[in-house]
């Protein structure tokens, strides 16, 4: 009796897995969720590859990537929706977490994410200059640390925009 | 990670990073973003079933956005 229940549950789980695997939209793709606290940006979307700015290094995620959790540093999340696309979708994220799950889904939770082209190159250049000056002029430990955070973020944005 | 040694928490660090990114946006995306990320609290005081006082507390970003919208 108990055994047949277990068997049935196992068969049901297997069928659900097969159904997910045979969904043609996800045959060679990741299931991609990308959101910030106020809005979802991608919700269960089929995408081919995502490049994540991990705190300990940038990495790309394709289907069947090994499951992992990574913190993100300020940087660019790049999304290739279809194979062969050379123009990747680019979002600048301020930080957050990326989760690669065993079912080939990728969840990215960012604190803030904006389209890279929505960043103002002039404001970024000015920010880099301001915070570099602040870092070298401040002596207070806490203020210096805050200035360094500003510099880190602005430098990452400058690098993303190729504006030094 | 020197901010950790200076007593800044991860949440504060994340919040600062997000603020810097919002600050570097082009208009009009910036105004829209800052308005949507703001925070306000409305406190209403009731006496004998009637509202006698309404107070709105805003953070600096929301106050600035409200002022800009009313201009």
């Amino acid at each position: 009796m108990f055994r047949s229940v277990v068997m049935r549950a196992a068969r049901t789980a297997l069928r659900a897995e097969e159904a997910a695997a045979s969904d043609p939209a996800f045959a060679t793709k990741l299931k991609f969720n990308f959101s910030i606290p106020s809005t979802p940006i991608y919700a269960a979307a089929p995408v081919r590859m995502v490049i994540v700015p991990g705190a300990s290094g940038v990495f790309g995620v394709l289907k069947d990537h090994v499951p992992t959790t990574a913190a993100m540093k300020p940087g660019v999340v790049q999304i290739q929706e279809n194979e062969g696309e050379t123009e990747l979708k680019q979002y600048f994220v301020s930080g957050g977490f990326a989760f690669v799950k065993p079912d080939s889904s990728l969840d990215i939770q960012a604190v803030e994410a904006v389209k890279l082209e929505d960043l103002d190159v002039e404001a970024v250049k000015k920010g880099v200059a301001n915070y570099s000056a602040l870092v070298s002029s401040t002596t207070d430990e806490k203020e210096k640390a805050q200035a360094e955070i500003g510099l880190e973020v602005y430098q990452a944005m400058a690098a993303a925009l190729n504006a030094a | 990670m020197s901010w950790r040694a200076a007593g800044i928490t991860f949440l504060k660090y994340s919040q600062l990073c997000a603020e810097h990114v919002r600050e570097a946006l082009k208009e009009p995306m910036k105004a829209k973003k800052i308005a949507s990320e703001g925070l306000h609290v409305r406190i209403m005081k009731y006496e004998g079933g009637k509202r006698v006082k309404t107070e709105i507390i805003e953070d600096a970003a929301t106050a600035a956005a409200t002022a800009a919208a009313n201009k």
Side-chain angles (χ1 to χ4, degrees):
Chain A
M1 171 67 191
F2 176 67
R3 211 180 129 183
S4 74
V5 170
V6 172
M7 293 277 282
R8 210 175 305 140
R11 268 200 301 273
T12 314
L14 202 62
R15 262 201 301 276
E17 220 168 81
E18 277 167 3
S22 64
D23 184 341
F26 295 99
T28 60
K29 289 184 169 179
L30 284 167
K31 189 188 248 179
F32 185 42
N33 294 299
F34 181 19
S35 63
I36 56 174
S38 55
T39 35
I41 299 170
Y42 281 80
V47 304
R48 181 175 174 273
M49 175 179 69
V50 179
I51 299 171
V52 183
S56 48
V58 174
F59 62 95
V61 181
L62 290 154
K63 189 180 163 67
D64 298 327
H65 189 284
V66 64
T68 185
T69 299
M72 294 188 296
K73 62 183 177 191
V76 186
V77 168
Q78 301 185 81
I79 302 141
Q80 188 190 40
E81 293 182 348
N82 297 299
E83 179 143 24
E85 259 177 17
T86 50
E87 201 131 300
L88 308 190
K89 299 272 189 319
Q90 296 183 308
Y91 286 87
F92 192 90
V93 298
S94 69
F97 289 91
F99 307 92
V100 184
K101 303 211 221 139
D103 63 350
S104 266
S105 67
L106 169 64
D107 293 357
I108 295 183
Q109 313 289 341
V111 184
E112 186 57 272
V114 300
K115 285 194 178 123
L116 189 59
E117 66 260 31
D118 287 352
L119 288 176
D120 185 343
V121 180
E122 289 312 310
V124 170
K125 282 184 188 169
K126 226 157 75 188
V128 173
N130 285 349
Y131 283 101
S132 312
L134 201 58
V135 167
S136 45
S137 69
T138 317
T139 48
D140 180 76
E141 192 195 3
K142 191 156 185 181
E143 279 172 23
K144 200 182 184 81
Q146 286 181 344
E148 278 169 355
I149 294 170
L151 186 60
E152 179 197 358
V153 179
Y154 274 103
Q155 277 178 339
M157 290 193 281
L161 294 164
N162 292 319
Chain B
M1 292 281 273
S2 60
W3 47 268
R4 201 73 198 79
I8 296 173
T9 60
F10 178 75
L11 283 182
K12 183 72 189 164
Y13 165 76
S14 304
Q15 193 192 336
L16 281 171
C17 288
E19 272 170 27
H20 290 307
V21 173
R22 285 195 278 271
E23 280 302 312
L25 276 171
K26 287 179 195 161
E27 293 292 358
M29 283 73 89
K30 185 174 171 179
K32 239 162 89 183
K33 193 65 137 179
I34 288 175
S36 75
E37 292 302 321
L39 166 80
H40 77 266
V41 180
R42 191 198 302 260
I43 300 173
M44 288 175 286
K45 198 170 177 188
Y46 283 77
E47 256 170 38
K50 284 212 166 71
R51 189 192 301 170
V52 293
K53 196 176 154 205
T54 306
E55 194 183 349
I56 297 174
I57 299 171
E58 292 178 328
D59 67 357
T62 316
T66 316
N70 291 339
K71 232 189 286 178

